[in-house]
Amino acid sequence: MAGSGSGADGGVSMAEVLQALKAIQESQSRLATEVQTVSNRLDTLAPSSQSPSPDLSKRSPSLVAGTPTSPVPTTLATSEPGADNTTATKEATQAQKSGFTSRIILTTYPKQIGIEPVPLHWGAPDPSDRGPVVVSRSSSTIRRRNAHGGSYSIYFALALASKQLNIDHRPDFTNTEPAVNIGPFPSWGDKKKIVAMDPWGHLPTWLFSDLIEKENIDIRPTIAVTKAHMKLPELEESVRRGRLVPDGKVCLNETGELAVTKFAVEPVWYLPGVAERFGIDEGVLRRSLFEHTGGSYPELITRGDIKVFLPPIGGLTVYCFGDPAKMSDEKSRLALRVHDECNGSDVFGSDICTCRPYLIFGIEEAVKEAQNGGSGVVIYFRKEGRALGEVTKYLVYNARKRGEDRASEYFKRTENIAGVKDMRFQALMPDILHWLGIKKIDRMLSMSNMKYDAIVGQGIPIHERVELPEDLMPADSRVEIDAKITAGYFTTGHRMTEDELEAVRGRGWEE
């Protein structure tokens, strides 16, 4: 009879399959016993005011099957045979301090008993129809969540574990409302134009106050808007040289001090929209995010009904010079610099790249546009080292400087180490422009072809591209900028041949 034994082709017999299933059942039985033992022990050690962990098996068989749990205790201390009373006392104290229940819920599932996400309809033009983004895992909110993750969730977890933060703390948002009004714009209700931030993220505590107060739902902003002054040493030099002229409104005085409106934005990804923007399947995106964050967000896999993910990555800041209302006014001119983070240059003045010089130039030109009656905007994204990170960037620096640091090899050295030239992926960048109501850019203060293509591809025309003046480029940055121009960066000047590019070399370590 076919399948009754192992054939010559190496097939597996039915007896072997049954034996394997029996072994799995025995392993699961042992694991279940161990989980229950650990749970009972921790419940015994828990403070008297804390309710024991509920036995989910008595509530719903489907809930047990659908809610994987872990036998990991909330304290690593274990009691060995012969342990004295002092050890037991320490364990009890640890359990009391932990603030955690004895059973860890690894994931949840749609339609699971007790799971009732707050409705969220991404792209609805009215905020009451759209609904809030709810990500908190506080006891009153955990079953009402409609999003995963959080930009600062790792630090938040550390604060809770170290008892620096009370898990039941609720922010007092008195007087925290935005310093200026922004929108709403039609783009806020277009789920194809905004997929990487919450367009209502600056107002949720006011828009959804009923949910917060009546249903005790923990809802928090992902955008904040404030006003400030900016002081940079180069700006004082700009005033001395006459590039900036104090007007008392935007450039406040002879020191180059600037008045600025700032918008801080944390990323909020609408997963179907992000997948579409990258031309990939949503399921592939979810699986990649799950697997390459070490399985940190299992609900990316188990909760297909939750469409929003707050990735633990850096966000962005908008610096607006002049009247913020003019950003969306098509009759007013707009100068824009989109800048990606470079800690070494932006903060510490490294001369191996053009990042800080271009940032300062962008600020100056934005200020001038605002002083001329238009709007000047600089948007700063946290994408250190082309989103490859500073460690990778420094490894590339080492490889370059130990070689001949030729412009012709510039991108190759990055690819050899990182496997890719760039991971900034500008496809999501234009969302902030849509949120600000920007419909056209008169002067784009960037040479990047990727940024240009992303913005124009989202239907926002760019009338003029402005490159960094030659006299602002550090000598050692020629390797980078000449390589980029040859690769497609905008220039009105000379585009080098391969032979010319090979002759461009950077400074050696000994120099």
Side-chain angles (χ1 to χ4, degrees):
M1 179 177 178
S4 60
S6 298
D9 61 354
V12 179
S13 70
M14 183 61 71
E16 290 172 317
V17 171
L18 293 174
Q19 184 64 32
L21 289 173
K22 183 178 179 181
I24 291 172
Q25 289 174 335
E26 291 173 349
S27 296
Q28 288 180 328
S29 178
R30 286 195 298 271
L31 178 60
T33 301
E34 290 168 2
V35 168
Q36 193 60 50
T37 299
V38 172
S39 297
N40 292 341
R41 180 165 172 270
L42 283 172
D43 284 338
T44 300
L45 292 175
S48 57
S49 60
Q50 180 177 324
S51 300
S53 297
D55 186 349
L56 297 180
S57 62
K58 294 179 181 178
R59 293 178 57 188
S60 169
S62 63
L63 199 57
V64 174
T67 310
T69 60
S70 168
V72 181
T74 54
T75 172
L76 295 181
T78 57
S79 178
E80 299 296 335
D84 57 25
N85 290 334
T86 301
T87 303
T89 301
K90 288 181 179 179
E91 292 175 1
T93 301
Q94 277 298 106
Q96 290 173 356
K97 289 182 177 180
S98 71
F100 297 105
T101 59
S102 61
R103 185 167 294 174
I104 300 174
I105 305 300
L106 295 182
T107 193
T108 58
Y109 293 87
K111 299 182 180 179
Q112 183 177 315
I113 293 176
I115 298 299
E116 187 182 356
V118 173
L120 178 61
H121 305 290
W122 196 272
D126 187 287
S128 59
D129 295 332
R130 206 296 300 268
V133 171
V134 181
V135 73
S136 171
R137 293 181 63 86
S138 65
S139 58
S140 66
T141 306
I142 187 168
R143 295 178 181 273
R144 306 299 309 280
R145 292 173 306 123
N146 56 26
H148 314 272
S151 292
Y152 287 87
S153 56
I154 304 302
Y155 288 110
F156 182 82
L158 283 173
L160 291 177
S162 62
K163 305 301 291 182
Q164 302 298 307
L165 175 64
N166 186 327
I167 194 170
D168 294 320
H169 170 73
R170 289 294 182 88
D172 177 358
F173 289 112
T174 303
N175 290 331
T176 63
E177 58 269 18
V180 299
N181 293 325
I182 183 81
F185 301 110
S187 56
W188 292 16
D190 188 334
K191 61 183 178 182
K192 290 187 179 295
K193 286 188 175 180
I194 298 182
V195 302
M197 59 181 289
D198 178 7
W200 302 101
H202 57 312
L203 298 172
T205 53
W206 299 276
L207 291 173
F208 307 109
S209 57
D210 279 355
L211 270 176
I212 296 172
E213 295 168 8
K214 295 179 181 178
E215 299 189 37
N216 198 23
I217 304 297
D218 188 358
I219 301 172
R220 307 198 182 190
T222 56
I223 301 173
V225 186
T226 191
K227 293 182 178 181
H229 286 192
M230 177 186 292
K231 297 185 75 172
L232 293 167
E234 289 94 337
L235 299 179
E236 186 171 3
E237 178 69 14
S238 296
V239 172
R240 281 201 299 266
R241 291 178 176 271
R243 293 199 301 268
L244 284 183
V245 178
D247 63 346
K249 295 179 180 180
V250 183
C251 184
L252 301 175
N253 51 45
E254 298 293 329
T255 67
E257 185 174 353
L258 305 178
V260 63
T261 303
K262 304 194 294 185
F263 304 75
V265 182
E266 294 180 354
V268 178
W269 288 3
Y270 174 60
L271 293 172
V274 172
E276 183 178 358
R277 194 76 64 84
F278 280 88
I280 59 178
D281 180 75
E282 182 189 342
V284 172
L285 173 63
R286 286 174 174 268
R287 178 168 179 173
S288 187
L289 290 171
F290 169 71
E291 292 187 351
H292 297 287
T293 56
S296 296
Y297 302 97
E299 286 174 327
L300 285 167
I301 303 300
T302 65
R303 293 294 301 276
D305 61 317
I306 293 182
K307 300 294 185 181
V308 174
F309 177 55
L310 279 64
I313 59 176
L316 65 91
T317 306
V318 177
Y319 296 85
C320 175
F321 303 96
D323 183 358
K326 292 190 175 181
M327 290 187 289
S328 59
D329 183 359
E330 291 186 81
K331 296 179 182 178
S332 297
R333 286 175 57 83
L334 174 74
L336 172 71
R337 166 74 184 163
V338 175
H339 189 94
D340 292 325
E341 178 184 22
C342 176
N343 181 64
S345 178
D346 295 343
V347 179
F348 294 100
S350 171
D351 68 347
I352 199 171
C353 61
T354 60
C355 294
R356 185 179 176 99
Y358 221 151
L359 178 60
I360 299 298
F361 176 71
I363 292 172
E364 287 185 7
E365 294 301 307
V367 169
K368 291 176 186 176
E369 199 67 70
Q371 289 179 320
N372 289 332
S375 179
V377 179
V378 175
I379 305 178
Y380 194 92
F381 283 84
R382 273 71 180 186
K383 297 179 181 178
E384 175 61 55
R386 299 188 210 144
L388 298 169
E390 206 163 28
V391 169
T392 295
K393 179 160 70 173
Y394 285 8
L395 293 174
V396 172
Y397 287 172
N398 287 349
R400 284 173 52 188
K401 295 303 183 181
R402 285 193 174 104
E404 296 181 323
D405 196 15
R406 295 177 177 176
S408 58
E409 301 292 313
Y410 176 77
F411 286 113
K412 186 181 295 184
R413 299 310 296 128
T414 302
E415 287 184 281
N416 287 347
I417 293 170
V420 64
K421 293 179 184 178
D422 197 317
M423 288 203 306
R424 285 175 290 182
F425 301 128
Q426 302 295 348
L428 302 178
M429 175 267 291
D431 286 33
I432 184 62
L433 305 181
H434 289 310
W435 185 74
L436 294 170
I438 293 174
K439 302 176 185 66
K440 51 84 182 176
I441 298 165
D442 295 282
R443 302 183 74 227
M444 179 70 180
L445 308 164
S446 171
M447 299 164 71
S448 169
N449 53 323
M450 290 186 295
K451 292 173 184 175
Y452 175 87
D453 291 343
I455 293 171
V456 173
Q458 278 290 302
I460 301 174
I462 295 173
H463 299 321
E464 180 187 2
R465 301 172 75 179
V466 183
E467 57 190 312
L468 181 66
E470 289 275 340
D471 63 328
L472 296 181
M473 296 180 184
D476 201 39
S477 72
R478 295 298 332 186
V479 170
E480 175 208 47
I481 197 64
D482 288 336
K484 287 181 175 179
I485 289 172
T486 302
Y489 264 42
F490 170 76
T491 184
T492 57
H494 177 62
R495 202 174 294 275
M496 292 185 175
T497 65
E498 287 297 323
D499 289 341
E500 289 174 322
L501 199 64
E502 186 150 340
V504 178
R505 300 187 183 185
R507 183 180 62 242
W509 273 343
E510 70 282 354
E511 298 178 54

